[in-house]
Amino acid sequence: SIISAMTRLGEQQDTLFIGQTVSAGGSYLGATLSGVPESKRIEWPVAEEMQLGVSLGLGLQGFCVISVYPRMDFLLLAISQLVNHVDKIGVMSEGKMRPHLIIRTSIGPKKPLDGGPQHTGNYADAIRRMLTTVKVCEVRTPRLVTEIYRRAYEEKGTWLIVEDGGLY
């Protein structure tokens, strides 16, 4: 379901994928982009806050940006961009700026190999409480994956979609 959803997003004219492992591989999230053309993928260094800032800028230029963070633990490094910029830009601009971002992250699996406390945190509830305009969704079933990614693309705005890495 994830591969299918990413492939459909990759077929859209206005989408770009940015993040760690989107081209270079190295995580199960990267492997889910097998149906996305390489020309739509921007491999990013370990610079999480800058990644979300660039994603916001691209979103303001009319792209639907799928910003990929392989672990939710490392999305925390971009929390200032998420809370103070991405979440508030529509309010600060009186609705004139409305980027279309899909922030994709996952909770690292604990089985068959436990990634440890630095890779397996779920901060969705805490992040949800900090945000006012970003929609936060946790996806745990194939049907929900398909529906949420479809809605995130069609309804625009900014979505934070949290996947459970233990289900891969």
Side-chain angles (χ1 to χ4, degrees):
S1 293
I2 292 281
I3 292 170
S4 179
M6 293 303 108
T7 300
R8 276 192 299 280
L9 286 171
E11 292 168 349
Q12 306 308 310
Q13 186 175 355
D14 63 342
T15 54
L16 287 176
F17 294 73
I18 182 172
Q20 299 165 29
T21 76
V22 299
S23 286
S27 81
Y28 53 82
L29 261 75
T32 66
L33 302 177
S34 60
V36 175
E38 279 293 329
S39 63
K40 290 191 161 260
R41 303 187 211 181
I42 302 170
E43 184 69 24
W44 202 255
V46 179
E48 290 85 352
E49 185 172 10
M50 184 169 51
Q51 175 183 325
L52 197 50
V54 168
S55 297
L56 175 57
L58 290 166
L60 290 171
Q61 292 299 311
F63 291 98
C64 172
V65 181
I66 297 87
S67 196
V68 179
Y69 290 85
R71 295 288 185 273
M72 185 173 249
D73 304 83
F74 299 108
L75 176 63
L76 295 176
L77 296 168
I79 207 76
S80 176
Q81 286 288 338
L82 180 61
V83 172
N84 292 314
H85 300 280
V86 172
D87 189 55
K88 308 296 186 289
I89 198 156
V91 174
M92 293 185 304
S93 69
E94 297 178 342
K96 293 180 183 102
M97 296 180 184
R98 191 165 183 236
H100 189 187
L101 305 179
I102 299 171
I103 303 163
R104 182 179 175 211
T105 192
S106 76
I107 303 159
K110 293 188 177 185
K111 292 181 181 177
L113 179 64
D114 188 335
Q118 190 184 31
H119 292 88
T120 58
N122 181 352
Y123 308 102
D125 288 335
I127 292 172
R128 186 179 289 115
R129 288 191 303 268
M130 288 185 260
L131 301 172
T132 56
T133 64
V134 175
K135 297 169 192 79
V136 180
C137 300
E138 294 180 71
V139 294
R140 297 184 186 274
T141 66
R143 187 180 76 44
L144 195 53
V145 164
T146 302
E147 176 64 17
I148 292 298
Y149 279 107
R150 182 193 60 75
R151 284 184 57 208
Y153 181 76
E154 291 176 1
E155 293 180 19
K156 304 200 184 303
T158 299
W159 295 66
L160 170 58
I161 301 174
V162 181
E163 301 168 14
D164 184 342
L167 298 176
Y168 286 83

